[in-house]
Amino acid sequence: MFLVFSMMKAQTFSPSKNVRLNFQLSEDGSPTYSVLYKNKTIIKESKLGFILKNLPALNNDFIIENQEVKSVDERWKPVLGEQAVIQNKYNQITFYLVQKSTNKKINIVFKVYNEGVAFRYEFPKQETLNYFVISDENTQFNLTGNHKTFWIPGDFDSQEYVYNETKISEVDNNKLDLNNAIALKSIAGRFVVQSPLMMKSDDNLYINIFEAAVVNYPVMHLDLNPQTYALTSHLVPNAIGDKAYLQTPAVSPWRTIMVSDDARDIVGSKMILNLNEPCKLEDTSWIKPMKYVGIWWEMHVGKSTWDYAGSQNAQNAASKDLIPSGKHGATTVNTKRYIDFAAKNGFDGVLVEGWDVGWEDWFGNWKEDVFDFTTPYPDFDIKAITDYAKLKNVKMIMHHETSGSVANYERHLDRALDLMKKYNYPAAKSGYVGRIIPRGEFHDGQTMVNHFNFVARRFADYKMMLNSHESSRPTGYARTYPNYIAAEAARGNEFNAWSTGNPPMHETILPFTRLLGGPMDYTPGIFEIKMNIYDNNKTEQVHTTLCKQLALYVTMYSPLQMAADLPENYEKYPDAFQFIKDVALDWDESNYLEAEPGDYLTVVRKSKGKENWFLGAITDENARKSIIKLNFLSPNTKYKATIYEDGKDADWQKNPGTYKIRKIEVTSKSVINLVLAAGGGTAISFEKMGK
């Protein structure tokens, strides 16, 4: 470890020596830090500290009581993941600070990785600071220039926004159509944006600011000054404006700064996972990857409904009193149809949304007790469906829509899990659409962070897997509780069915932002791309080619992947559907071959325990060509490459459905020419050939 320090300042380097951390106390005892990459300043001198409620601030008057250094180089095996083994290598320095006027103690721990710097605050057990309330965290990230930035507004209740690509100086939330009135100016001329914040400097450095291991703490947004390029942590408040309630000993989440001159280092980083605690489950044998279909997309495109009784109101009636509308999707007959399709095509599970009573009155009414998560509609025979699924060797995936009523869900949670156990459901998809009840809490506040993590732990008690939607965005907690198998927490594929949709660049940005924190249930695989197939009056479409939908199964990592389209649509394209059937979910190795946020991404992955590889390449609204070397393949081995590529005249707007499939023999010395249409993609499977 390269280390230089005095009683007032210190320098620490990454193992590669490319990243340098500077830490010092200013003349008034304020802790500050800066970060350099290859001798270029990335983060200028930036202050650290806290404002406490009814207590003196912890932001100056410090002395360094002690400091401790160590180097770590360890390896660990995720239960499910992009790599069979993950390396965790860094140099660490801890500063033990004491505030002279109050004798309060706070430690600041820095870990310097080859891909950046992480730090967090520790509040040790002490008589002078026991139970306390954080009013503000004053962590600064002072940037050095007007970087290109990929950002979404600081809405405390939602991440479901299209990314804006602007210079920092052009960030302006007031020009956006916001989901909620939360992402407003915090101070004149300053704006709140969400982390992770992905940036690119004029001298081609890639910078990402995020956080890891958010436990018992609110989500960090960023207060941005577009004129000075200064960022300050902006914690999500509760109903009375407090940010966090803590009792010593306590820690903050890790604040992370990734930096590289190669975008592949950012998108391939495992820093966020590494900063989380190791798995706390002794037995993980029941945690399995799942490929699934479900009664879901047909509601989004208007073919059927979640509710049983249509426009009728259910507020005074039990389910048996409702008159069916005839459009309910979650029927016994329809579910069996999906089970048949899953069994025929080798899928693991079937998700059913709209199975339980309450959907007639669930959205926008702020009712606390809409769902009980145990009472099915009369046309959904849960026992008959369970028996049929077992006969077909297919697992059922439960759906728990809370409509934001968190207290109601927690009251019913154990009964809901008991029902899942009774009918052998191994996993559930949870939903948190709408404002949070109790009123005044936010999806990203401390209370809800604790709720999301609690639900994952409670599912683990029952040996069940969880896939949360509309939750706070993950920050690596899946390492600690790997049954938290996936989450949405971003603008997913569903928006393409009924809104302006996701632009073609959207999926090239998410791996640099949302996916750094954990697997995403993006629900790819839409083959009927234009929505007028369901209604001639519809103008919406998925902003993609068909082959890009295939490539997303590789570029958007998740051990839980949905074939989101309708079974009848897949039956129209059996040759293209084959890739979805074949593609793996769990990996021994992942290599990011090409990467540029907002433009393109090419990823290749090796199946867990097998010699099969899968490649996904996607682009934005621009057509793209590239040459890919196949030197990732094992030497002296022949493979059959099945290439699913955009047709000659493919275009995401004009002709999204055309594609071609070709098969060639390749080795590690071969190259493949990729030709991606505008908004397009390429998917390739490599199967080892016999001798």
Side-chain angles (χ1 to χ4, degrees):
M1 178 191 305
F2 281 71
L3 178 70
V4 180
F5 65 84
S6 68
M7 290 306 293
M8 294 295 290
K9 61 184 178 180
Q11 291 182 349
T12 305
F13 291 80
S14 64
S16 67
K17 308 180 188 65
N18 287 334
V19 180
R20 186 174 91 205
L21 164 76
N22 295 329
F23 176 85
Q24 67 178 5
L25 294 182
S26 58
E27 290 185 3
D28 67 350
S30 299
T32 68
Y33 78 101
S34 60
V35 176
L36 292 83
Y37 177 75
K38 294 184 178 179
N39 294 319
K40 292 182 180 179
T41 300
I42 305 304
I43 302 294
K44 299 186 296 185
E45 185 173 332
S46 301
K47 291 185 177 181
L48 304 168
F50 289 90
I51 303 297
L52 305 184
K53 188 174 184 178
N54 301 324
L55 289 173
L58 291 174
N59 56 16
N60 60 17
D61 196 33
F62 285 107
I63 61 171
I64 299 176
E65 186 178 51
N66 194 11
Q67 48 196 355
E68 182 180 14
V69 300
K70 68 176 182 179
S71 295
V72 173
D73 186 359
E74 61 186 8
R75 287 163 175 77
W76 58 279
K77 295 181 179 181
V79 176
L80 304 171
E82 295 182 87
Q83 307 282 158
V85 178
I86 294 175
Q87 184 180 31
N88 188 23
K89 185 177 183 179
Y90 58 89
N91 292 328
Q92 177 176 310
I93 184 166
T94 303
F95 298 96
Y96 298 88
L97 307 182
V98 179
Q99 193 172 45
K100 292 184 292 184
S101 57
T102 67
N103 205 36
K104 289 182 172 62
K105 298 182 178 181
I106 184 171
N107 309 330
I108 305 179
V109 184
F110 290 90
K111 294 183 177 182
V112 188
Y113 290 83
N114 288 340
E115 65 262 49
V117 172
F119 62 90
R120 76 175 179 186
Y121 304 91
E122 296 180 344
F123 303 93
K125 185 72 175 176
Q126 55 193 292
E127 292 183 3
T128 54
L129 190 65
N130 184 11
Y131 175 82
F132 60 103
V133 181
I134 293 177
S135 295
D136 274 303
E137 179 189 320
N138 293 336
T139 299
Q140 294 181 343
F141 308 87
N142 292 326
L143 304 169
T144 60
N146 192 17
H147 306 327
K148 180 169 70 174
T149 304
F150 301 89
W151 61 276
I152 56 177
D155 186 332
F156 302 158
D157 272 323
S158 177
Q159 313 89 359
E160 295 181 327
Y161 289 92
V162 168
Y163 278 89
N164 302 277
E165 180 182 341
T166 72
K167 289 287 191 177
I168 291 176
S169 61
E170 298 167 349
V171 171
D172 187 350
N173 291 336
N174 290 338
K175 297 178 181 178
L176 303 178
D177 181 16
L178 303 177
N179 290 344
N180 297 314
I182 302 303
L184 303 175
K185 291 184 180 181
S186 57
I187 306 174
R190 299 170 73 95
F191 300 92
V192 182
V193 296
Q194 297 197 37
S195 73
L197 191 66
M198 185 68 206
M199 296 168 282
K200 184 180 181 181
S201 69
D202 289 340
D203 52 355
N204 295 318
L205 291 182
Y206 300 88
I207 304 165
N208 184 286
I209 295 177
F210 193 22
E211 61 180 336
V214 179
V215 178
N216 191 32
Y217 208 83
V219 166
M220 180 184 73
H221 293 230
L222 295 166
D223 197 29
L224 183 150
N225 188 321
Q227 283 70 50
T228 64
Y229 320 138
L231 301 167
T232 305
S233 56
H234 188 114
L235 302 185
V236 175
N238 65 7
I240 60 174
D242 295 334
K243 307 299 174 62
Y245 302 102
L246 300 177
Q247 184 172 6
T248 58
V251 297
S252 77
W254 295 93
R255 279 61 186 97
T256 64
I257 304 157
M258 299 182 196
V259 57
S260 180
D261 51 16
D262 189 335
R264 296 175 298 175
D265 294 336
I266 306 295
V267 73
S269 172
K270 296 296 175 283
M271 179 191 288
I272 303 301
L273 277 179
N274 279 328
L275 291 165
N276 280 263
E277 291 188 45
C279 179
K280 291 190 174 183
L281 305 178
E282 292 184 7
D283 176 22
T284 59
S285 61
W286 48 276
I287 300 174
K288 304 288 187 183
M290 293 189 76
K291 196 181 297 181
Y292 71 104
V293 294
I295 300 175
W296 174 77
W297 187 249
E298 64 181 70
M299 283 87 96
H300 284 286
V301 301
K303 179 183 176 183
S304 62
T305 62
W306 283 273
D307 57 79
Y308 171 78
S311 61
Q312 288 196 78
N313 198 295
Q315 57 187 330
N316 64 347
S319 61
K320 65 180 184 300
D321 299 320
L322 298 175
I323 301 173
S325 67
K327 289 196 68 177
H328 187 217
T331 68
T332 302
V333 172
N334 198 27
T335 303
K336 287 183 175 181
R337 183 172 70 94
Y338 275 83
I339 291 171
D340 287 339
F341 181 79
K344 176 184 176 182
N345 293 286
F347 283 73
D348 303 293
V350 173
L351 165 75
V352 180
E353 294 197 10
W355 69 276
D356 55 337
V357 170
W359 287 90
E360 284 77 14
D361 197 34
W362 76 285
F363 181 72
N365 292 325
W366 290 65
K367 289 184 65 176
E368 188 155 345
D369 57 351
V370 173
F371 299 104
D372 68 8
F373 314 100
T374 58
T375 305
Y377 279 121
D379 59 349
F380 187 83
D381 188 333
I382 189 168
K383 183 180 185 306
I385 288 167
T386 298
D387 292 342
Y388 192 75
K390 183 178 180 180
L391 182 68
K392 296 283 186 171
N393 197 30
V394 171
K395 299 291 186 182
M396 297 301 298
I397 300 174
M398 183 57 72
H399 183 234
H400 292 160
E401 176 53 61
T402 69
S403 63
S405 183
V406 179
N408 180 59
Y409 188 41
E410 290 187 357
R411 284 194 298 269
H412 289 89
L413 183 58
D414 279 10
R415 280 169 282 183
L417 291 170
D418 286 338
L419 182 77
M420 288 177 60
K421 185 176 181 180
K422 177 180 179 181
Y423 290 108
N424 198 30
Y425 281 69
K429 171 184 174 181
S430 62
Y432 294 84
V433 174
R435 298 292 185 88
I436 296 300
I437 305 171
R439 295 162 178 79
E441 296 293 340
F442 298 111
H443 286 73
D444 286 351
Q446 182 186 28
T447 295
M448 286 305 299
V449 166
N450 288 342
H451 167 80
F452 296 130
N453 290 344
F454 162 73
V455 173
R457 295 193 302 270
R458 198 72 184 108
F459 267 67
D461 292 339
Y462 279 76
K463 294 189 174 182
M464 294 174 183
M465 296 182 292
L466 174 66
N467 166 29
S468 64
H469 280 228
E470 297 87 31
S471 62
S472 58
R473 80 282 188 275
T475 57
Y477 199 62
R479 178 186 179 185
T480 311
Y481 284 91
N483 68 303
Y484 202 165
I485 191 171
E488 183 191 40
R491 189 177 173 99
N493 218 4
E494 67 196 58
F495 276 79
N496 290 303
W498 36 259
S499 76
T500 55
N502 305 333
M505 75 172 185
H506 187 64
E507 294 93 350
T508 72
I509 299 171
L510 286 171
F512 289 91
T513 53
R514 159 66 186 83
L515 275 100
L516 292 177
M520 181 179 178
D521 187 30
Y522 187 71
T523 60
I526 304 302
F527 279 13
E528 287 296 352
I529 291 166
K530 292 184 178 292
M531 297 301 106
N532 60 12
I533 190 174
Y534 307 105
D535 183 340
N536 288 332
N537 295 317
K538 280 182 171 286
T539 59
E540 296 88 354
Q541 72 162 93
V542 189
H543 296 181
T544 180
T545 65
L546 187 149
C547 281
K548 185 176 185 179
Q549 289 294 300
L550 298 180
L552 293 176
Y553 286 93
V554 184
T555 64
M556 304 280 284
Y557 166 68
S558 180
L560 179 79
Q561 289 281 20
M562 185 182 199
D565 212 334
L566 309 184
E568 54 266 35
N569 291 342
Y570 289 129
E571 289 169 350
K572 300 175 188 176
Y573 308 92
D575 52 351
F577 185 52
Q578 188 63 44
F579 182 83
I580 300 179
K581 294 164 63 174
D582 291 341
V583 68
L585 301 175
D586 194 20
W587 309 99
D588 272 336
E589 185 179 345
S590 295
N591 297 322
Y592 289 83
L593 305 180
E594 304 176 300
E596 182 66 29
D599 291 338
Y600 57 83
L601 186 70
T602 302
V603 188
V604 67
R605 307 185 193 272
K606 181 178 178 292
S607 302
K608 181 67 70 70
K610 297 180 180 179
E611 193 54 44
N612 296 337
W613 294 76
F614 295 87
L615 182 145
I618 61 173
T619 187
D620 60 1
E621 68 279 4
N622 299 304
R624 185 170 185 271
K625 295 180 180 181
S626 67
I627 300 174
I628 299 297
K629 295 180 180 180
L630 304 187
N631 53 10
F632 51 83
L633 297 174
S634 296
N636 304 315
T637 305
K638 294 181 179 180
Y639 295 82
K640 179 180 71 175
T642 304
I643 304 170
Y644 303 78
E645 56 192 349
D646 297 320
K648 185 177 181 180
D649 57 347
D651 179 278
W652 73 271
Q653 289 178 300
K654 300 174 184 177
N655 194 11
T658 182
Y659 63 92
K660 59 182 179 180
I661 301 172
R662 57 190 175 99
K663 298 182 180 183
I664 60 175
E665 182 180 302
V666 297
T667 69
S668 61
K669 296 180 180 180
S670 304
V671 297
I672 288 182
N673 294 314
L674 299 183
V675 181
L676 280 62
T682 298
I684 306 176
S685 64
F686 299 92
E687 182 181 359
K688 181 181 177 181
M689 300 174 65
K691 294 182 179 180

